[in-house]
Amino acid sequence: MSLPQSLRTTVTPPELELIASEQLVEIIPLVSMERTAFISGAYGPLRPPNKCKIPLWMALNLKLKKKCHIVPPDWLNVDDLQAILNKETASNAYSEVPFRYVEIAKVLLDVASEDMPQPDKIRYLLKDLREARQAKCRDALALINHSDVKMTNLSSMELNEVRPVFVQSMNIWTKLVRDPTENYIGEVEEDERVS
């Protein structure tokens, strides 16, 4: 994926997915497995048909090997996403969403869409939600000033997208509102040291 130059200094979307893969998800194992220790912790034992919580990376690995079904998070269903979207479009505030909802939803829809009811409808709702939130971000950044920036409830992907624009805007704003005598005083002090 080709990213604009301004985003190349930030974390890339695949890197954010890797970070999100540490989130715990619930699975229904299809095979038995003893408790297994990893660097990030010990998980298991897996005993079908009992549900178990494991990291997303492990769930994806087992799913690709057809050794489990992934239980989608509570928020990843048509009704909840529709409610979040309605709330998002009805208000100027950002609705509360899981911090890594974009990454988790993408990975689960790519690998385990058959474990979800109505995956295509979920994709459309996520797309609409993301576009609504991005439009709010653009509007907020267009009206940016030092004293009044309110962008609460942003997800990790949204923060990552906004960060370069926000930092660049703040740098420009600082230069515009800086006291013009400040540079002059600094130059005078430097000239006195040289003399």
Side-chain angles (χ1 to χ4, degrees), residues 141 144 149 151 161-171:
L141 290 174
I144 204 165
V149 177
M151 299 176 81
E161 291 169 343
V162 169
R163 182 181 297 119
V165 176
F166 186 75
V167 169
Q168 189 175 18
S169 300
M170 288 295 108
N171 287 338

Side-chain angles (χ1 to χ4, degrees), residues 20-85:
S21 70
E22 286 297 323
Q23 299 287 312
L24 294 179
V25 294
E26 208 167 39
I27 65 162
I28 300 171
L30 300 175
V31 296
S32 291
M33 191 168 93
E34 293 305 317
R35 187 168 177 82
T36 309
F38 297 95
I39 292 173
S40 60
Y43 305 103
L46 305 181
R47 300 280 182 254
N50 298 327
K51 292 181 181 179
C52 180
K53 283 199 173 201
I54 60 175
L56 182 58
W57 63 265
M58 186 176 175
L60 296 174
N61 191 318
L62 291 172
K63 178 66 182 173
L64 291 171
K65 293 177 181 176
K66 300 186 183 336
K67 294 183 178 184
C68 78
H69 294 291
I70 299 176
V71 178
D74 293 338
W75 54 268
L76 194 56
N77 64 65
V78 172
D79 294 335
D80 286 349
L81 288 173
Q82 186 66 58
I84 293 170
L85 179 60

Side-chain angles (χ1 to χ4, degrees), residues 85-189:
L85 179 60
N86 292 342
K87 194 187 226 183
E88 193 72 46
T89 55
S91 161
N92 286 335
Y94 295 91
S95 53
E96 196 169 327
V97 293
F99 186 63
R100 301 201 184 278
Y101 87 97
V102 175
E103 302 94 306
I104 292 171
K106 180 192 178 302
V107 169
L108 289 179
L109 285 166
D110 287 350
V111 175
S113 61
E114 66 275 2
D115 291 343
M116 296 179 208
Q118 301 176 300
D120 291 333
K121 179 83 172 167
I122 290 172
R123 277 187 183 93
Y124 289 123
L125 287 169
L126 284 166
K127 182 177 177 275
D128 290 346
L129 178 61
R130 187 130 160 73
E131 288 172 357
R133 291 174 70 87
Q134 285 176 328
K136 281 184 186 179
C137 282
R138 281 191 300 273
D139 292 345
L141 290 174
L143 303 172
I144 204 165
N145 71 47
H146 265 289
S147 62
D148 189 25
V149 177
K150 293 189 183 180
M151 299 176 81
T152 57
N153 293 326
L154 290 182
S155 71
S156 66
M157 188 72 75
E158 293 159 345
L159 285 172
N160 195 54
E161 291 169 343
V162 169
R163 182 181 297 119
V165 176
F166 186 75
V167 169
Q168 189 175 18
S169 300
M170 288 295 108
N171 287 338
I172 292 169
W173 182 261
T174 303
K175 288 176 185 175
L176 291 174
V177 298
R178 183 179 290 155
D179 184 11
T181 60
E182 183 179 308
N183 285 340
Y184 179 74
I185 292 170
E187 291 171 7
V188 170
E189 289 173 1

